[in-house]
Amino acid sequence: MKKPKWVVAKEQGKKAEARETLWLFGLHAVRDALLNPARQKLRLLVTPNAQAKLEAAIVASGMVPEVEDPRKFRPPLDPGSVHQGAVLEVRPLDWGRLEDVCIGAEAPRVILLDRVTDPHNVGAILRSAEVLGAVAVIGTRHHSAPETGALAKTASGALERQPYLRVRNLADAIRALQDMGYLVLGLDGEGDQTIEAAVAGKQDRPVALVLGAEGPGLREKTRETVDALVRIDAAGAFGSLNVSNAAAIALYATLKH
């Protein structure tokens, strides 16, 4: 019996994903990837100076680096990438299913991103999420920043330790978290209440925060699906926060102090 076209397309997509690789660059990103046993590593290109700085991590990884003259070092990156003499070809990380990652911790915190596509913003959010103890950062497969060298460099190593999942449908992910007992709050400048008011007396509950792209904000479907729309109180009538700053403040506001 001939397979349906959608089944064939799905299988082809999975094979393409398995072949996908990316280049990490910069000393911090490369060092942390070398030390991550879950990261599948393929090629390491370094200058002698970078090799010396990464020596312990290279030995721990068991990789044999390709050492190149810095004057001839031309890694396969965008010309403006600040690589610091170290690039590493890897396969994307697989963090598993949302249900497995987002359950188990006591009063877990999760960040969901609605069309946040700037890798520098997502990298900064991953750093904040790691520092403030979030169990995962969740975006969508087609409208969020993919795992790239630029994202990894901005995350400064957090990408290797902080789960970053990309799901097919954000509304479905929100509903899955609600079924797991999460209080899901969408950040909106016009929210009826502050984050602190929304979580008052509920800090022991799992909490998920949904942030939209700067400008458009949350999509209508997202606004309809969350449990409540909340805001970060501003000191004045003007000004707005970068989405990565908003994520850090919002996450901190949900924690017990």
Side-chain angles (χ1 to χ4, degrees):
M1 182 178 172
K2 194 174 180 180
K3 292 181 181 179
K5 288 183 180 179
W6 69 269
V7 173
V8 174
K10 190 174 182 180
E11 290 176 351
Q12 288 174 341
K14 284 185 177 179
K15 287 178 182 176
E17 285 179 11
R19 292 193 299 269
E20 198 175 86
T21 69
L22 62 142
W23 288 91
L24 304 181
F25 58 87
L27 293 173
H28 282 297
V30 170
R31 178 184 289 113
D32 284 37
L34 287 171
L35 294 173
N36 182 4
R39 175 71 83 173
Q40 190 175 350
K41 300 167 276 284
L42 304 174
R43 285 181 72 196
L44 174 62
L45 311 179
V46 291
T47 61
N49 185 43
Q51 181 187 23
K53 292 178 178 178
L54 294 171
E55 184 178 3
I58 293 171
V59 171
S61 73
M63 293 196 76
V64 178
E66 300 172 36
V67 185
E68 299 189 2
D69 185 322
R71 293 167 297 184
K72 300 175 182 176
F73 195 64
R74 300 288 185 273
L77 304 172
D78 291 335
S81 301
V82 183
H83 53 69
Q84 299 173 294
V87 298
L88 177 65
E89 186 182 16
V90 298
R91 296 202 190 281
L93 288 166
D94 180 6
W95 288 102
R97 301 187 316 142
L98 176 148
E99 291 81 1
D100 297 328
V101 173
C102 296
I103 201 165
E106 184 179 342
R109 298 294 184 260
V110 170
I111 293 175
L112 296 103
L113 303 177
D114 189 1
R115 297 182 300 178
V116 179
T117 57
D118 185 332
H120 300 96
N121 277 333
V122 176
I125 289 168
L126 287 168
R127 288 184 73 176
S128 297
E130 180 182 28
V131 169
L132 295 170
V135 297
V137 175
I138 300 169
T140 52
R141 291 183 191 172
H142 298 297
H143 299 288
S144 64
E147 191 176 331
T148 63
L151 187 154
K153 192 169 193 304
T154 307
S156 193
L159 180 63
E160 303 302 321
R161 300 177 294 271
Q162 176 64 47
Y164 178 43
L165 284 65
R166 295 172 69 213
V167 297
R168 188 178 300 278
N169 185 287
L170 195 69
D172 288 347
I174 290 171
R175 283 189 283 265
L177 289 170
Q178 289 167 332
D179 289 344
M180 293 163 64
Y182 274 80
L183 173 66
V184 184
L185 305 174
L187 263 74
D188 187 288
E190 304 301 317
D192 294 331
Q193 57 186 325
T194 64
I195 299 168
E196 291 88 347
V199 300
K202 303 173 186 174
Q203 282 96 340
D204 291 332
R205 277 190 66 181
V207 176
L209 297 161
V210 193
L211 293 98
E214 292 169 45
L218 300 176
R219 286 176 293 180
E220 191 59 35
K221 180 68 173 177
T222 304
R223 293 165 62 88
E224 292 170 358
T225 311
V226 299
D227 293 310
L229 294 173
V230 296
R231 67 181 188 274
I232 296 173
D233 260 351
F238 301 100
S240 61
L241 288 168
N242 170 282
V243 65
S244 62
N245 291 332
I249 293 170
L251 188 53
Y252 184 77
T254 71
L255 302 177
K256 266 188 174 181
H257 302 297

